[in-house]
Amino acid sequence: VQLVESGGGSVQTGGSLTLSCAPSGLSVSDFSMAWFRQSPGKEREGVAAIRRDDLTAYTDSVKGRFTVSRDNAKNTAYHQMNSLQSEDTAVYYCTTPTRPGGIEYGYWGQETQVTVS
């Protein structure tokens, strides 16, 4: 299983970016998908997640600004980030459990840098 991420980059404060996560070897419709991030000197934190039943969850600091979704036909999950702030600068990772319905995130995408200035 590989999770291929794309969409990171640099943006000005208040701007938007969309991260994509396209797994090979599993179907996004069968798995929860989540994004974590890590800033220099900080621990990795969970940012957003979407369950198999499409229930979403967000950390408080991004509620109302970030949206996770998925396109089953494209087998891709998306992480739309709006009103970006400097504190959103981090390396972002998409992740999924190793089995449908699992709660331990075992598959991780490559890091995607998001820089807000």
Side-chain angles (χ1 to χ4, degrees), residues 60-71:
D60 286 345
S61 63
V62 308
K63 286 180 180 177
R65 300 189 296 121
F66 290 9
T67 304
V68 292
S69 62
R70 60 168 156 246
D71 185 330

Side-chain angles (χ1 to χ4, degrees), residues 26-83:
L26 61 83
S27 297
V28 298
S29 60
D30 295 332
F31 287 75
S32 297
M33 304 292 295
W35 270 265
F36 284 68
R37 68 185 179 187
Q38 188 166 21
S39 304
K42 294 186 178 180
E43 293 187 356
R44 187 170 59 186
E45 66 168 341
V47 179
I50 181 168
R51 293 189 342 188
R52 293 187 296 171
D53 59 2
D54 290 336
L55 183 69
T56 57
Y58 303 90
T59 193
D60 286 345
S61 63
V62 308
K63 286 180 180 177
R65 300 189 296 121
F66 290 9
T67 304
V68 292
S69 62
R70 60 168 156 246
D71 185 330
N72 294 337
K74 295 183 178 179
N75 201 38
T76 299
Y78 301 98
H79 185 189
Q80 173 72 39
M81 304 182 293
N82 298 327
S83 301

